Amino acid sequence: MRAAGYRTVDALVEWLSDTSEPPIRRATPNELRRRLGGPAPAAGEPYAEVLAGLFRDVIPFSSRSGHPRFFAFVPFAGTWPGALGDFVASACNFYAGSWMESAGPTQLELEILGWFKDWVGYPSDAAGSLVTGGSAANLNALACAREARVGSMRDDLVVYVSDQTHSSIARSARLLGFQPAQVRVLPVGDDLRLECATLAAAIEADIAAGRQPFFAVANAGATSSGAIDPLRELAELCQEHGIWLHVDAAYGGFAILTDRGRRALDGIELGDSVTLDPHKWLYQPYECGCLLVRDGSALRGAFEISSDYLRDAEPTTDEVNFADLGIQLSRSSRAFKLWLSLRTFGLDAFRAAIDDCLDLTELARQYIDASPRLELASPPSLGTICFRRIGEDDELLTSGLVAALEASGLGFISSTRVHGRGALRLCILNHTSTAEDVTRVLAFLESAEPIVAAPLTERDTRVQAAPLFARLEPDESDLLTSLSTERRAAAGETVVERWDTSRDFYVIERGTVDVTADGVTVATLSDGDFFGEIAALEWGAGFARARSATAVARDDVLLRVVNPAALAQLLAAAPRLERELRFLAHDRLRRAR
C-alpha cells in the first residue's frame, strides 16, 4: 500500500509540475478507443504498469486545471491539501450521511458550513449541505422552496429567471415537473443584470392572470458574464410578494471574502437560499458545492424521510444526518478537503488569491480599452471579461480565434454571446495566473488569424438591410411555407400580449403591425418582417423567454404562423438564418426594455 501510494504521489507531483504542456489536449474517440478498448482483464496486472498506462493513455488527454493561462469557462484550479483531503476521505471510505456512522466527519462539515454562513451573513440556525456542485445545489434549493411554500406540485406556480441564469435551473425545473409556461425567462439590461422593474412587471402580469409567483433566481456572478443582479432590491420585491428568492452565487459567492467582493454582493444575505461552489473560487478539487437555506427547518422538512431500515441511524435532538438535508442518501465527506486547505493556508491566502484575480481582470480591461483592435462586449464583472475584435463579431470568427489560441498551445479561453453577438470570454480565477499570462493571451488574440472551418461570405458575416424573411433562399422559403399555417388579423386586433405564455412565431406576408412595450411603440413592422421570435427561440431545457412586447395589427394583416417545434426544424436547416434571427432577437430585447 505504501509503495503504491508513494508511486502515485510522485507521478501526480511530476504531472502537476509540468508547465510545458498546453492548457488542454484533445483526442478523437477512435484514438482513445485504440488506447483503452478491450475486455475487462481476467487476471490482475502490476500496479506500476497500470499506473503508467493511466498517465500515458488517459490523463494527458484532458484540460490542466492548474495551467496559468487556462481562462476558459470557470477555471477550477485546486489545491494540493484539498486533493489530499479527498484522498483521506476516499481511503477511509466514510459514509457521511448519518451521525451514527460519521460523527467526526459530520461535525467537521457543520463547522465548515458555519464558516460559510458567517461569511454570507446568515443566522446561526440556517442549514446547509455540501453537495456535488452548483447544479445539485440549485436543484435542492428549488425542491426545498416548493415543499416549504406550497407542498406538492401545482400547475399555477411560476419560477422567474433572467436569460443569464445558469442552465442548471432550467434542468432542475424540468426534473421537478415544471411545464414550459411555468418558467418565466426575463430579459436583462445592457449591463446584463435583471432589473427590478422587469421582474415586478412579470409578477403583476402573472397575478392578474391567476398564476402564483413563488420562486425567483438572482445571479451573484452569472456564468456567462460574471454579472451580479441588484440583490438587495430584488430581495425587497420578493419579500413584498412572498416569493422565495434564491441567490445563485456558485461562481461569485466566495468573492465576499474580499472588500470589493462584499460590496459587489451587497444583499446576498437577504436570499432565502444561496448556492456556493467551493470548487470554483475557493480552489477545491471537484466535486464540492454547497447549498445554504436561511430557514434551516425548511431544508430538513423538504428531504427528511423515515425508513424502517434506517431506524437505528435516526438522530437525537442535537445530532444531524446530512442524508436528511438533500437528495443523497449515500454520500462521502467533502469537508476534509476544505478543512485541510483552509487550515493549511489560512483564510488570508484565499483572500489574496481572489484579490489578485480581480486585479488581473482590471488589467485586462485596461489592455482592451487601450487596444485599437479589441473592444469590450459588456462591463467586466468579478473575474470575467467579455470582448471581441472590432468589426469581427460573427460567432464563426469568434470561435475561430478561440480555436487559434488553443492550437497555439499558449492558452485557452471560451466564447459566449452578449446581446446575441459572439464574444470572447476571459475568466480569471486561477491562483497561479500572472499579469504576463493575461497580456500574452490578449496580445495573441489581437493579431491572430482565426481558424475557421469554411470561408465566410458577406451574407454570413453581416445582417443585411432587407427584412430577414424577405430574402430567404428558395428552398428556405419553401420550407417556411410547409412548416407554417396562415392567419389573418383584423385592424386593431392584438396578436400577442406582453408576458403571455404563447410561443408562436409570426412572419408578416402583408400588412402592418405595431409593437409596443409599456404603452410605447418600439417598432412598426410590415411585409417580410417578423415578430414573436424572442418567446419562440428555446432558452434551455424546453423553456423560453416570456413575451417581451405586445403586437397589434394596424390594418388587416396576413401572417405565417410557425410553432416552436417547426421553427427549430427551419433553423436547423438554415444555420445562417438562426445566427441572424438570434442577433436581431437580442437587439429587439434591448429596445423593448
Side-chain angles (χ1 to χ4, degrees):
M1 291 168 65
R2 288 191 180 95
Y6 295 151
R7 187 182 293 273
T8 303
V9 168
D10 287 343
L12 285 169
V13 172
E14 182 178 349
W15 186 80
L16 291 168
S17 303
D18 185 0
T19 58
S20 65
E21 290 292 314
I24 186 170
R25 177 176 290 175
R26 306 196 198 200
T28 66
N30 282 338
E31 179 181 354
L32 290 178
R33 280 193 290 267
R34 286 195 300 270
R35 289 173 175 266
L36 301 171
E45 304 170 52
Y47 180 79
E49 294 179 12
V50 176
L51 184 68
L54 187 68
F55 277 85
R56 181 187 63 246
D57 297 326
V58 178
I59 289 176
F61 306 105
S62 63
S63 58
R64 301 177 70 92
S65 64
H67 196 288
R69 291 183 296 281
F70 187 105
F71 297 125
F73 313 117
V74 179
F76 47 98
T79 61
W80 184 243
L84 295 178
D86 269 347
F87 173 65
V88 172
S90 294
C92 295
N93 201 23
F94 292 116
Y95 167 66
S98 72
W99 182 276
M100 180 184 77
E101 293 190 64
S102 57
T106 297
Q107 187 60 41
L108 193 65
E109 185 165 342
L110 290 170
E111 294 298 323
I112 298 292
L113 293 170
W115 294 348
F116 290 178
K117 289 188 289 186
D118 182 57
W119 300 346
V120 167
Y122 263 17
S124 59
D125 58 352
S129 177
L130 295 178
V131 295
T132 56
S135 295
N138 287 336
L139 173 63
N140 285 356
L142 182 54
C144 177
R146 191 184 69 184
E147 291 300 310
R149 292 292 169 88
V150 298
S152 58
M153 190 64 191
R154 289 177 10 200
D155 291 340
D156 63 338
L157 301 179
V158 182
V159 173
Y160 301 92
V161 301
S162 85
D163 57 22
Q164 299 296 300
T165 298
H166 193 268
S167 60
S168 62
I169 294 290
R171 186 180 295 113
S172 298
R174 183 169 65 183
L175 289 173
L176 291 170
F178 288 86
Q179 299 300 309
Q182 293 182 264
V183 176
R184 202 74 68 245
V185 184
L186 305 177
V188 294
D190 289 338
D191 57 2
L192 303 178
R193 297 176 1 132
L194 176 62
E195 297 172 355
C196 209
T198 301
L199 177 58
I203 291 170
E204 291 168 5
D206 282 320
I207 292 174
R211 294 183 283 265
Q212 177 62 55
F214 105 100
F215 188 87
V217 179
N219 292 317
T223 301
S224 181
S225 64
I228 301 171
D229 291 332
L231 304 178
R232 187 168 295 277
E233 292 84 352
L234 292 174
E236 292 171 357
L237 175 64
C238 288
Q239 289 171 3
E240 177 185 344
H241 291 281
I243 295 171
W244 182 293
L245 178 65
H246 175 63
V247 180
D248 186 353
Y251 164 21
F254 288 109
I256 205 166
L257 293 172
T258 69
D259 291 338
R260 282 176 288 182
R262 181 163 291 279
R263 289 193 297 270
L265 295 168
D266 176 56
I268 190 174
E269 72 280 3
L270 301 177
D272 294 289
S273 53
V274 175
T275 286
L276 300 167
D277 252 5
H279 65 219
K280 291 188 173 71
W281 228 341
L282 209 58
Y283 304 117
Q284 298 306 303
Y286 286 128
E287 300 166 347
C288 194
C290 176
L291 173 65
L292 297 178
V293 177
R294 169 179 288 279
D295 178 3
S297 63
L299 189 60
R300 182 183 298 275
F303 294 104
E304 185 177 30
I305 296 177
S306 298
S307 302
D308 290 343
Y309 52 83
L310 294 176
R311 285 189 304 163
D312 296 335
E314 289 181 359
T316 65
T317 302
D318 295 332
E319 296 173 350
V320 172
N321 281 0
F322 277 110
D324 295 334
L325 302 181
I327 61 174
Q328 280 190 281
L329 177 61
S330 298
R331 64 193 300 275
S332 180
S333 177
R334 301 181 181 94
F336 282 76
K337 65 180 87 179
L338 284 157
W339 178 262
L340 287 178
S341 293
L342 291 166
R343 292 294 297 268
T344 298
F345 293 117
L347 201 54
D348 287 345
F350 289 89
R351 289 193 177 101
I354 295 169
D355 263 327
D356 285 345
C357 292
L358 297 176
D359 289 341
L360 292 176
T361 306
E362 173 60 18
L363 172 69
R365 184 196 65 78
Q366 293 174 6
Y367 188 105
I368 292 167
D369 283 344
S371 170
R373 298 204 65 189
L374 302 177
E375 63 180 358
L376 290 174
S378 63
S381 184
L382 297 175
T384 299
I385 187 162
C386 297
F387 61 102
R388 56 175 65 94
R389 284 242 290 249
I390 294 173
E392 298 182 2
D393 55 40
D394 187 272
E395 289 187 31
L396 289 178
L397 287 170
T398 298
S399 299
L401 287 172
V402 172
L405 178 62
E406 180 183 341
S408 73
L410 173 68
F412 188 48
I413 67 167
S414 53
S415 63
T416 188
R417 287 175 178 166
V418 178
H419 298 306
R421 297 173 61 188
L424 301 164
R425 178 182 172 279
L426 193 75
C427 189
I428 304 171
L429 228 72
N430 195 321
H431 53 80
T432 69
S433 299
T434 65
E436 181 185 4
D437 294 315
V438 172
T439 55
R440 285 181 66 187
V441 166
L442 290 174
F444 179 92
L445 294 169
E446 272 186 302
S447 58
E449 189 68 27
I451 297 176
V452 293
L456 300 175
T457 66
E458 183 179 4
R459 183 183 182 94
D460 287 324
T461 59
R462 191 181 69 226
V463 175
Q464 301 176 26
L468 179 59
F469 284 85
R471 50 187 168 85
L472 293 178
E473 302 290 355
D475 57 335
E476 294 172 344
S477 182
D478 292 344
L479 184 58
L480 172 63
T481 301
S482 69
L483 292 173
S484 62
T485 58
E486 189 176 278
R487 173 180 169 180
R488 298 178 184 273
E493 181 180 343
T494 297
V495 182
V496 298
E497 187 82 41
R498 191 181 192 191
W499 304 123
D500 75 27
T501 58
S502 64
R503 291 189 57 195
D504 286 337
F505 172 73
Y506 300 87
V507 179
I508 303 172
E509 288 198 345
R510 185 176 65 252
T512 307
V513 172
D514 289 323
V515 180
T516 64
D518 295 328
V520 177
T521 299
V522 295
T524 298
L525 308 175
S526 57
D527 299 7
D529 283 325
F530 60 90
F531 60 93
E533 78 290 346
I534 292 170
L537 292 168
E538 182 176 309
W539 172 72
F543 301 110
R545 293 173 175 84
R547 294 288 191 193
S548 61
T550 297
V552 180
R554 177 183 288 188
D555 48 31
D556 290 344
V557 175
L558 177 63
L559 302 165
R560 304 291 322 172
V561 185
V562 188
N563 65 44
L567 180 62
Q569 184 178 342
L570 174 64
L571 298 183
R576 181 271 313 174
L577 191 63
E578 180 177 19
R579 289 196 299 274
E580 295 191 18
L581 187 61
R582 287 190 180 277
F583 170 77
L584 291 168
H586 282 274
D587 183 60
R588 286 180 172 181
L589 271 174
R590 290 202 300 274
R591 288 186 281 136
R593 288 193 301 272

